[in-house]
Amino acid sequence: MPVYSEKVMDHFMHPRNVGEIENPDGIGEEGNPVCGDMMTFYIKVKDNRLEDVKFKTFGCGAAIAVSSMVSEMAMGKTLDEALKITPASVAEELQGLPKNKYHCSNLGAQALHKAIEDYLSKQKAQGDKKA
Ligand code: FES
């Protein structure tokens, strides 16, 4: 049984920002075919900043803690800042993860980045239409 930090346990027992955003500006989904875990991030963007971040995670305790932490780290950040959130920085904020749980932290950052990319590609498509 892996040993989790207090912070991981806290975010696992009391995850922040769980849920879905109605009419999100971007959605990012990421899964791991090996363990079968899935997470989806929803974002609302205003003035190039993440105004709201929510997630739904079907996964292990570490995956839930990671999603919760990613949502907290990303909230209020500019898109560029949020794109700099890495699996390593998430694991660090969580005071570390057991080695065999590193892949769980990859999912969180990747799902967030995908949601931002989804937003940016929609913006670009709109811009192209206007042009
Ligand atoms: Fe796969 Fe945690 S065991 S995300």
Side-chain angles (χ1 to χ4, degrees):
M1 170 88 183
V3 180
Y4 291 115
S5 71
E6 267 177 39
K7 223 153 179 196
V8 172
M9 288 312 290
D10 177 33
H11 278 265
F12 168 51
M13 303 296 276
H14 312 282
R16 286 48 150 189
N17 309 308
V18 178
E20 212 170 302
I21 296 176
E22 244 181 83
N23 301 320
D25 293 322
I27 300 182
E29 205 168 52
E30 191 60 57
N32 182 307
V34 179
C35 64
D37 292 355
M38 290 283 305
M39 43 180 92
T40 310
F41 268 82
Y42 305 86
I43 56 168
K44 211 63 187 163
V45 181
K46 196 172 177 206
D47 298 334
N48 208 40
R49 265 181 203 280
L50 291 171
E51 193 184 34
D52 200 8
V53 182
K54 289 214 175 347
F55 72 89
K56 275 193 182 162
T57 291
F58 300 92
C60 69
I64 292 169
V66 161
S67 324
S68 169
M69 180 53 90
V70 167
S71 71
E72 268 204 339
M73 287 167 78
M75 194 76 79
K77 288 232 163 64
T78 66
L79 300 183
D80 279 350
E81 286 166 349
L83 284 170
K84 286 193 189 116
I85 295 173
T86 61
S89 63
V90 177
E92 200 182 307
E93 282 293 322
L94 283 169
Q95 298 169 336
L97 278 170
K99 261 210 173 77
N100 61 345
K101 289 282 164 186
Y102 279 175
H103 81 268
C104 317
S105 66
N106 293 344
L107 291 186
Q110 282 164 0
L112 173 74
H113 293 179
K114 276 192 175 174
I116 295 172
E117 281 153 20
D118 181 41
Y119 165 76
L120 292 173
S121 68
K122 281 182 192 153
Q123 288 294 102
K124 192 173 175 303
Q126 273 186 7
D128 288 350
K129 252 190 233 162
K130 273 184 208 154

